[in-house]
Amino acid sequence: SQTIHQWPATLVQPVGSPLSLECTVEGTSNPNLYWYRQAAGRGLQLLFYSVGIGQISSEVPQNLSASRPQDRQFILSSKKLLLSDSGFYLCAWSLENNQPQHFGDGTRLSIL
Amino acid sequence: QKEVEQDPGPLSVPEGAIVSLNCTYSNSAFQYFMWYRQYSRKGPELLMYTYSSGNKEDGRFTAQVDKSSKYISLFIRDSQPSDSATYLCAMSAPGGYNKLIFGAGTRLAVHP
């Protein structure tokens, strides 16, 4: 069966510091991969998605970037964090288009 | 107007009650409908996945889609305290890369 791992679970970073969040999927090949941000009491906002190695599409212009160096690895990065980057970041995968997405347990990011 | 509207609650019910959770949407192109359950500080977990209109049942959970009214529902029978969570509806249209549009989520509390 497929599993998704995200780490770290919690992260506290100062303003202006860099960021790297990692997500890996096991048990499947060539999944679609997604990064979301969830603000308190609000729905999920899609940040990036990828349908293959090296292919990244951005949904929202922002201070963040994403990369997919390997088939089942998805990384969310920033060179300089802003206070507004605080939130709950979720990685997800799906087998194909129009198939349900499956989520990791997220990273709670606090910027001080 | 948001593409997907969902009452944030909170909804508080006694154990054993039948719970009805609902979402309305504006985009008639949506064909795929999902319900996710999210416990505090965890990622969303897929509960139900339906295509087009109709009902789908899985144990104590029933999902209904009424495309003519642009309205979807999730019913929980014999609710348990372990059902206390936030429930998110999500939907997508055919084609593209499987962009899910989420409701903001309804918080449910089932008290013994």
Side-chain angles (χ1 to χ4, degrees):
Chain A
S1 65
Q2 300 92 349
T3 55
I4 180 169
H5 303 279
Q6 268 189 262
W7 66 92
T10 306
L11 189 59
V12 180
Q13 292 283 94
V15 170
S17 63
L19 174 73
S20 180
L21 302 181
E22 190 163 340
C23 170
T24 59
V25 179
E26 296 177 357
T28 186
S29 297
N30 197 32
N32 289 355
L33 296 173
Y34 311 84
W35 278 112
Y36 287 88
R37 178 166 54 205
Q38 185 177 32
R42 299 176 65 179
L44 278 68
Q45 179 188 35
L46 180 64
L47 302 176
F48 301 95
Y49 69 94
S50 171
V51 298
I53 296 174
Q55 188 281 329
I56 306 294
S57 295
S58 174
E59 279 292 297
V60 182
Q62 58 206 316
N63 186 41
L64 302 168
S65 61
S67 61
R68 185 171 177 172
Q70 300 181 47
D71 181 41
R72 291 169 290 170
Q73 184 185 29
F74 207 20
I75 297 172
L76 184 69
S77 304
S78 174
K79 291 182 179 177
K80 278 188 172 183
L81 286 167
L82 307 172
L83 282 173
S84 58
D85 291 324
S86 292
F88 190 43
Y89 289 84
L90 289 156
C91 181
W93 68 272
S94 67
L95 280 175
E96 300 172 348
N97 289 338
N98 298 309
Q99 291 297 306
Q101 294 178 19
H102 304 275
F103 289 83
D105 275 339
T107 295
R108 191 160 303 277
L109 176 64
S110 299
I111 311 299
L112 303 179
Chain B
Q1 182 191 6
K2 292 181 183 177
E3 276 194 284
V4 178
E5 299 275 3
Q6 185 175 10
D7 187 333
L11 182 61
S12 181
V13 302
E15 184 175 355
I18 296 175
V19 176
S20 172
L21 303 166
N22 312 293
C23 288
T24 59
Y25 62 95
S26 57
N27 187 347
S28 58
F30 288 146
Q31 295 273 13
Y32 304 91
F33 303 92
M34 283 140 272
W35 284 97
Y36 288 86
R37 177 175 63 196
Q38 186 174 21
Y39 291 115
S40 179
R41 309 185 81 83
K42 292 289 189 179
E45 169 194 5
L46 180 70
L47 276 179
M48 301 288 280
Y49 171 57
T50 54
Y51 170 71
S52 197
S53 284
N55 294 1
K56 184 174 182 179
E57 188 173 322
D58 183 1
R60 296 185 296 112
F61 299 92
T62 300
Q64 284 187 353
V65 175
D66 181 349
K67 291 191 68 184
S68 61
S69 301
K70 297 192 183 71
Y71 188 87
I72 68 171
S73 301
L74 177 71
F75 297 96
I76 307 174
R77 290 184 299 281
D78 188 25
S79 56
Q80 303 294 310
S82 58
D83 295 326
S84 298
T86 296
Y87 290 80
L88 300 159
C89 63
M91 46 201 80
S92 68
Y97 58 88
N98 193 28
K99 178 176 180 177
L100 291 185
I101 308 299
F102 283 85
T106 299
R107 274 197 330 178
L108 171 67
V110 181
H111 50 86

